[in-house]
Amino acid sequence: MDAILKTLFSSEDEELYILDCLSYFMMSMAFVTSLALLFVNVPYGRYASSRYGFPVHVTIAWFIQELPAFLLPLALTLSSCAKITHLSNQLLLLMYFCHYTQRSLIYPFLIRGGKSTPFISFALAFVFCIYNGYLQTRYLSHYAEYPPDWVTSPYFITGSCLWLIGWIINIHSDHILRNLRKPGETDYKIPRGGMFNYVSGANFFGEIVEWAGFALAAHSIHSAAFAIFTLVVLSNRAIAHHKWYLAKFEDYPKSRKALIPFMF
């Protein structure tokens, strides 16, 4: 991996500059995406359409598209990493790997009866996982510098707690969704329990909180860009789900919000 990176970049200063540019570009794409999502939902799951390419089996799609977010960062952290011995960098990388180990190696094989993913959605997710996996882990493992007492700072402690809470909510909400259907059932049902008692997009809420906490703890433009992009995509998803539930189920809880408990 070191040899490849030395071929691509003439110096560490150049690579760090590229990492910064990738972060600002991701923020720009978040803005463009927010405009596009005013007119169309992200085309996967219940919003999947043949207009976006041939269908890819849901388990295969999730496994392959998320795998680069695990394998590429693993290769990067196992190569020469200047900052990997620092506790703050280690803990931030641990947060990242906890999410993507579960997301790439466990979650796809727990899915029950999900709809196939259109190829374009699958391909875009695959590219994003390469892009973001490189951005987050290369910066944290090789360039991010923190004060020696950063792990005891209010930013790191608060961010870490938010990350943990969001990660737990995300996993628990996915568990609830998986168990809505009995074997052989294909119809949709109202999710209940956990954060679903308060919001329609409980799983999305959890992941937004998770990466917002990560961004606060990491305190960098790179992690902030990821958190903003996540917020844009998943908040749209939560709002679309909320409207869909209200239209489909007459007995859908009227007090339940779309994304933020008691508020929105």
Side-chain angles (χ1 to χ4, degrees), residues 58-257:
V58 62
T59 296
I60 295 173
W62 272 100
F63 175 65
I64 295 178
Q65 75 189 30
E66 300 290 320
L67 196 58
F70 174 78
L71 291 181
L72 178 59
L74 183 63
L76 289 170
T77 54
L78 291 178
S79 62
S80 176
C81 300
K83 309 298 182 182
I84 197 68
T85 59
H86 299 173
L87 180 59
S88 52
N89 300 61
Q90 291 174 347
L91 292 175
L92 289 165
L93 286 167
L94 180 62
M95 294 179 200
Y96 176 91
F97 277 109
C98 278
H99 177 89
Y100 279 106
T101 298
Q102 194 273 342
R103 212 55 164 173
S104 61
L105 302 181
I106 299 173
Y107 174 78
F109 303 101
L110 297 176
I111 296 174
R112 297 180 184 177
K115 290 187 176 181
S116 296
T117 302
F119 179 78
I120 291 178
S121 299
F122 159 72
L124 289 174
F126 181 83
V127 171
F128 179 81
C129 284
I130 295 173
Y131 183 117
N132 189 59
Y134 166 71
L135 175 63
Q136 303 303 324
T137 55
R138 183 59 175 170
Y139 177 72
L140 287 173
S141 65
H142 203 80
Y143 295 105
E145 294 186 5
Y146 298 100
D149 60 347
W150 181 248
V151 295
T152 60
S153 71
Y155 294 114
F156 188 88
I157 293 173
T158 304
S160 298
C161 290
L162 285 174
W163 175 87
L164 181 60
I165 292 169
W167 186 60
I168 292 172
I169 291 173
N170 182 237
I171 291 177
H172 182 245
S173 300
D174 283 341
H175 172 76
I176 291 174
L177 290 173
R178 275 195 305 272
N179 288 279
L180 285 177
R181 296 170 179 160
K182 296 178 181 178
E185 291 183 336
T186 58
D187 57 320
Y188 285 96
K189 298 182 180 181
I190 299 174
R192 303 182 189 276
M195 284 301 297
F196 281 113
N197 290 333
Y198 306 99
V199 294
S200 298
N203 49 334
F204 306 128
F205 171 77
E207 191 160 352
I208 289 170
V209 170
E210 180 185 353
W211 293 120
F214 176 80
L216 182 60
H219 228 61
S220 70
I221 190 66
H222 316 84
S223 56
F226 182 27
I228 291 170
F229 194 89
T230 299
L231 173 63
V232 167
V233 174
L234 296 188
S235 60
N236 171 269
R237 192 88 175 158
I239 294 169
H241 274 30
H242 187 65
K243 293 178 179 178
W244 185 90
Y245 280 126
L246 288 172
K248 185 173 179 62
F249 298 103
E250 293 183 0
D251 60 338
Y252 194 73
K254 298 300 186 289
S255 62
R256 189 178 298 187
K257 301 300 182 180

Side-chain angles (χ1 to χ4, degrees), residues 16-30:
L16 182 57
Y17 173 75
I18 294 299
L19 288 170
D20 291 345
C21 289
L22 289 175
S23 301
Y24 288 113
F25 181 72
M26 184 181 286
M27 288 185 172
S28 300
M29 288 306 299

